[in-house]
Amino acid sequence: WRKMPFDNIIPTKNIASIFLDDTYADVRFEVSHSLPTNEATTKKKKKSDIYPAHSQILKACAPMLAQLVELANVNERKDEGVSHVEISGTDPDIFRGMLGHVYGNEIPKEK
């Protein structure tokens, strides 16, 4: 038995290419955040950003996110075979950067 290099087997470029691709996604993260309001209004407006993901990639590369998906499934937060995970209190840009890193993208530099 001889050892083979694994660099040719792990398709990191292919994984990065499906980041935010909804075609085969079986998970949707909904990241809620408050929009800035003027002082005259007392109600804060909420906006949600949706990020599609793939459960098998999460299981392999981000087990804590995969656990959130499993919890959503236990609570029957599934619609047409797609798990729906709500996340609040997180900046959508930070979540997007973190999820992108799971798919092999570089972490975005601070603005």
Side-chain angles (χ1 to χ4, degrees), residues 17-28 51-54 80-82 103:
S17 72
I18 63 170
F19 174 56
L20 300 181
D21 184 350
D22 205 16
T23 306
Y24 300 107
D26 58 352
V27 177
R28 284 199 181 80
Y51 299 101
H54 308 82
E80 297 178 14
V82 177
Y103 281 78

Side-chain angles (χ1 to χ4, degrees), residues 11-21 54 57 99-106:
T12 54
K13 288 183 181 176
N14 291 339
I15 292 172
S17 72
I18 63 170
F19 174 56
L20 300 181
D21 184 350
H54 308 82
I57 292 172
L99 189 59
H101 183 66
V102 169
Y103 281 78
N105 295 326
E106 289 190 28

